[in-house]
Amino acid sequence: MKPRSISAFARAQAQVRLKRLLAQVLRAAKYPEDPEAIHDLRVSIRRFTQCLRTFRNLLDPRPLKKIKRRLRDLMDSCAAVRSCDVALVVLRQAGVAPGASASKLTAARARAEQALRDRLTKERRRKTSDWGKGLHPEIQEGGEWDPDESLQDNVGRVLPALVKDFFEAGAVAAVTGVDYQTLHQFRLRAKRFRYALELFPSLYGSEMERGLEALKELQDRLGAINDCVTTIALVRKDRRAAAAVRKLLRQREEEFQAYWPSHFPHEKLAWWQDWLSRPHSAMK
């Protein structure tokens, strides 16, 4: 059988993630009161968006602009609900007893949920084909993916460069006392890097499993820090609650600062670049 091209691979991956996204839209529309349904919808949006971002020079950019705008609007609606869910959990984790802050968050969550319900109702009415029309193949000059190269050659060239940038950003973010904006930007980079690698598990073996697990644990720690920062912003007028969350935040910062050098030391970069440069063949 003829090896799959990078263009065909990109389109197939986009279609798979679009199908998962639409399934999560239906689930969230049915259960908007379920925090996990909202979380899973946000993750599916991010994975689909990262797929489009990763293969941007292989897809027609014109219809994708409309899709990306719709995804941003949907993500914003989800974020308003998710922030309240996260803050309520963080307050419990910080040992804050139920009180005025929790009551306000619950009320805000109810309002955000109704707005999200309305948004999801509109999305459910859209035809699946409306989304799929945006996945037209079209080669953009100057992109990192070369349609004249094999899938393996493309992947073995592009992914090692991504991991080098990731390690450099992580070394900066793990410095004690770094500002939260830097941490936030690295959290987004780590998430995008992980979701980009998740596009290629069929081309790798156990190394990919190990790498993705390490990235997931890193992402969890960065997410825990961001949850605290988000909560502090929402309850800043409640000094007692904010102080308790800041204490939890410091603990989580220390956990991240210990995790990064132990799991992503500079010498580990060579291991990542080595196996990422050697993808297996993919026939289809």
Side-chain angles (χ1 to χ4, degrees):
M1 296 179 67
K2 182 180 179 180
R4 180 183 290 190
S5 69
I6 185 63
S7 298
F9 183 86
R11 183 170 170 80
Q13 292 298 316
Q15 290 173 333
V16 167
R17 279 154 184 76
L18 174 58
K19 183 177 180 180
R20 293 173 182 169
L21 167 61
L22 296 179
Q24 292 301 334
V25 167
L26 293 177
R27 179 178 170 225
K30 188 174 182 180
Y31 305 107
E33 72 284 353
D34 182 0
E36 288 304 312
I38 305 305
H39 171 69
D40 291 346
L41 173 56
R42 281 166 54 83
V43 170
S44 68
I45 292 173
R46 291 187 186 280
R47 283 190 166 119
F48 181 53
T49 301
Q50 183 57 44
C51 180
L52 300 182
R53 181 183 291 112
T54 299
F55 297 123
R56 56 187 174 274
N57 78 293
L58 301 176
L59 299 170
D60 187 346
R62 288 161 293 187
L64 287 184
K65 289 182 179 179
K66 184 177 180 180
I67 289 179
K68 290 178 180 177
R69 184 169 59 251
R70 285 165 56 184
L71 290 174
R72 284 195 298 269
D73 291 343
L74 181 55
M75 181 66 91
D76 288 343
S77 297
C78 290
V81 176
R82 181 64 179 168
S83 293
C84 294
D85 288 335
V86 164
L88 288 167
V89 171
V90 169
L91 288 179
R92 291 196 295 270
Q93 293 172 335
V96 178
S101 290
S103 297
K104 290 178 181 179
L105 287 169
T106 300
R109 207 274 185 197
R111 293 191 296 271
E113 180 185 315
Q114 184 55 56
L116 178 59
R117 283 179 184 269
D118 296 340
R119 180 76 194 180
L120 290 172
T121 297
K122 293 180 181 179
E123 293 301 334
R124 288 184 64 183
R125 291 172 180 167
R126 297 182 189 274
K127 296 180 180 179
T128 301
S129 58
D130 290 343
W131 291 91
K133 289 177 182 177
L135 304 181
H136 299 309
E138 182 174 311
I139 307 302
Q140 310 298 312
E141 294 297 330
E144 56 192 353
W145 303 105
D146 186 345
D148 295 326
E149 288 184 352
S150 69
L151 172 60
Q152 298 149 272
D153 288 344
N154 266 288
V155 174
R157 171 175 51 79
V158 171
L159 295 192
L162 291 182
V163 75
K164 183 176 184 296
D165 291 341
F166 167 74
F167 265 73
E168 290 175 351
V172 173
V175 174
T176 302
V178 72
D179 62 274
Y180 293 124
Q181 184 59 30
T182 299
L183 279 174
H184 174 66
Q185 291 303 317
F186 179 61
R187 182 179 68 88
L188 296 180
R189 182 184 287 255
K191 191 175 296 187
R192 291 168 183 167
F193 179 51
R194 176 189 167 197
Y195 293 161
L197 291 189
E198 286 180 348
L199 294 165
F200 307 100
S202 62
L203 302 181
Y204 295 96
S206 59
E207 294 94 342
M208 175 65 84
E209 295 178 9
R210 290 164 56 193
L212 289 177
E213 181 59 30
L215 286 172
K216 181 181 182 303
E217 292 184 12
L218 173 68
Q219 191 176 323
D220 287 345
R221 285 163 173 75
L222 291 167
I225 291 172
N226 190 68
D227 289 350
C228 287
V229 175
T230 297
T231 302
I232 291 170
L234 291 174
V235 303
R236 59 184 179 277
K237 293 183 180 180
D238 185 339
R239 294 183 179 180
R240 180 178 58 85
V245 177
R246 288 192 185 94
K247 181 178 179 180
L248 180 61
L249 172 59
R250 288 191 291 271
Q251 295 173 359
R252 291 178 172 183
E253 288 175 325
E254 291 172 358
E255 290 174 0
F256 161 64
Q257 289 161 0
Y259 185 83
W260 175 260
S262 65
H263 290 75
F264 293 90
H266 180 71
E267 54 269 24
K268 194 75 170 180
L269 173 60
W271 174 78
W272 280 85
Q273 290 181 316
D274 178 60
W275 66 265
L276 284 173
S277 68
R278 295 181 287 102
H280 304 159
S281 62
M283 305 290 292
K284 199 166 182 178

